Amino acid sequence: MAATESLETDEPEKGSKPAGRRSSTTRYVVGRVVKAFLTIYVVATAIFFLVRLLPGNPVDVYINQQIAQYGMSYQEAANAAAGLFSFDPNESKFMQYLHYLGGLVQGDLGTSLLSPGSSVTSQIGAYLPWTLFSVGIALIISFVLGIGIGMAMAYRRGGIFDHAMTLVASITHSIPNFLLAMMIIVFFGVQLEWLPIATMRGAYSPGVHPEFSLYFLSDAFYHAALPMFVYVLTSLGGWMLVMKSSTVETLGEDYVTVARARGLTDRRIQVQYVGRNAMLPLFTSFVLSLGFVVGGSILVEQVTQYQGIGFLLYEAVQRRDYPVLQGILLIVTISVVLANLVADLLYSRVDPRIRITSKEG
């Protein structure tokens, strides 16, 4: 009989043995970790073959140019391309796949086709921190603001503040982030010239070197201000609406009524009874959002010319740089899978009503 693990929301069984609980927890954790690695393997394989279905690549373009301009034979042009790009165009897809998997096991994501000698890992390492910096801070700001405003909307539901904030949240949440970025640049940057968009490009100013100093941090915030503002504005509405709905539902629970009957202060009820329980549904969404930090910045960074991992991914797609494209998509996959894994493992800790059981069936 196969053993399955699951999360259940019923009350703990009285008299159950601690050793049995630990065993169930261990099996659940191991099962989730194995599923996470299997998911990464399947997606990594899909990425490898899907990327190669894209029409054209820089190696083919180079070979065709050599044949057309210098009258080389295909083999001569192919040999020249192999030396320039450190890439064998005659290698079968299966052998490329094996080399790809072998490199992944060793942590080697390959070498950029268009930047010979530059590893994909080093390129990702140069761009990824700026995306984590801008999107990560924006996510925390929008989450904290959304929690506070959403609770205020729930306590003032039906009033002017609730209606006004609901309208604002619905509008900002429905606008795609890249479209909002374009609108800000066109109206406030080009038409009104309030934003110095020319000097805000890039992750930091030319001549400034990354270091832990107030001058560099202020410069980094200056360049990240526009994408951060866009991320906050487009994600804040979602947190507000979800928190309002969850708070309204929590306010109707019996334990809140009992707390009021006991004469507890409104402040204590808001923080310890309503706010804490209303935030539980948002916990999973927040952790999952951390996984999408890497992949949620592609168009915004391209529009604002902020040189994060989204900017690098767009350039890799445009130039058919397969190794870089594969490496970034794999990083996105890993971050999302790990976010799901962390959310699953932590949710039982955050919500005491959740427990892990093992069923024989």
Side-chain angles (χ1 to χ4, degrees), residues 209-231:
H209 300 287
E211 59 184 8
F212 190 73
S213 66
L214 182 60
Y215 177 74
F216 173 73
L217 289 177
S218 61
D219 186 72
F221 271 106
Y222 172 74
H223 286 268
L226 180 55
M228 286 172 63
F229 178 75
V230 171
Y231 296 139

Side-chain angles (χ1 to χ4, degrees), residues 48-49 52 87-99:
F48 174 85
F49 288 104
R52 278 155 181 76
F87 178 84
D88 185 0
N90 298 318
E91 191 176 41
S92 66
K93 292 291 188 295
F94 179 71
M95 290 305 299
Q96 292 180 31
Y97 175 65
L98 292 182
H99 290 156

